[in-house]
Amino acid sequence: MPKIDLVAGLLDANEMLAEQNRTLFKQSKVFTVNLMGVPGTGKTSILEKIISSLKDKLLIGVVEGDLYTTTDAERIEKLDVPTVQINTKGECHLDAGTVRKACLDLPLHQIDLLFIENIGNLVCPAEFDLGENARLMVISVTEGNDKPWKYPLMFRRADAIIVNKTDLINYTDFDLKQFTEDMTNINQAAKIFPASATTSSGISDIADWLYKKIKKQAK
Amino acid sequence: MHELTLVQSMITKISESAAIQGIQHISRINLVNGKFSGANTEALLLAFSLFKDIPLFKNAALEIEEPEIIAMCNSCHKEFIVEAYLFRCAYCSQNNVKIASGQELYINYYEGE
Ligand SMILES: Nc1nc2c(ncn2[C@@H]2O[C@H](COP(=O)(O)OP(=O)(O)OP(=O)(O)O)[C@@H](O)[C@H]2O)c(=O)[nH]1
Ligand SMILES: [Mg+2]
Ligand SMILES: [Zn+2]
């Protein structure tokens, strides 16, 4: 019986499109951030605060991924930044092709910083490269300390992790020191930013970190 | 359940190749799913069962290999197996390590006639 050595990756198509996105972002001089985290962790709330903090220095654009609704895009549009909504209609992650299409509706050449809010999910988005420059993850103190060990791929691939809702930390058993130790063992290189979108605590540190990365990239 | 998307891509790739090779019935598919690919082997098998009514795949058995996660230490440059997602060098205990393999997800080969 014939045996065919195929050696074909199942994510080849996405990887090829992600590579094209990377070229497009580079040519357009856009720094792109893939924002990930479980539903309700505070991705949009953090984004609103970061936008307010960087809006005077950079032109920011946003791609909002959501299963069915446009509520997040409507929240971001209020901040007067170019925003495009993607509805995945049930797909649990954004892929490079969908992001590419959404980008065609944005004035990419004018934008310095593009945020892509991914679908709320800690599993699938980890595998789909969008061609981004940085992966930013949001976890909140109400989610518990065990998450890095349960979703190691997502935590390993993040460049920075925002620990949100720290205004509630005294009502939870979340242990920031333990989290930091665990992260050393999973992804030593990741930056950790304790923050609260409600009180704005920690937002300026995230904004500074992003701003420095963008300036470095632009050189 | 993005495994459905992944299996769909597998079905497309094998169907295209089988058409070129003139293969009408696939008997065996060997897939490599590294332990840190992000795709779940059980979910891949379940997703594959949904495609069994396609004549080409009716008698196809899907075997999935799961290679370990191998990392290399950036300090002592030795390679080691990552157990329980602990990204720490097994020789010198420091955490600055890079993944050498274990993230792959690909069709290795298939058999048919
Ligand atoms: N107490 C507190 N609540 C917060 C904080 N950040 C967000 N929230 C609340 O958490 C809820 C969800 O916030 P969103 O920003 O919509 O979360 P999201 O991650 O964008 O959610 P999805 O896009 O639906 O996945 C809202 O009710 C927010 O007001 C925070 O720092 N502290
Ligand atoms: Mg949101
Ligand atoms: Zn070592």
Side-chain angles (χ1 to χ4, degrees), chain A residues 1-2 4 7-8 127 156 185, chain B residues 2 27 87 95 97 107 110 112:
Chain A
M1 188 164 293
I4 316 290
V7 195
E127 271 172 79
R156 172 76 200 179
N185 281 321
Chain B
H2 66 299
S27 54
F87 289 90
N95 290 102
V97 305
I107 308 160
Y110 67 89

Side-chain angles (χ1 to χ4, degrees), chain A residues 38-45 72 75 117 120 164-165 167-168 196-198:
Chain A
V38 296
T41 194
K43 295 179 291 299
T44 311
S45 308
D72 285 355
R75 279 166 68 183
E117 180 175 338
N164 190 32
K165 307 195 188 179
D167 55 296
L168 302 177
S196 164
T198 303

Side-chain angles (χ1 to χ4, degrees), chain A residues 201-212:
Chain A
S201 136
I203 299 294
S204 60
D205 294 336
I206 307 165
D208 287 349
W209 178 79
L210 275 171
Y211 191 72
K212 285 202 187 99

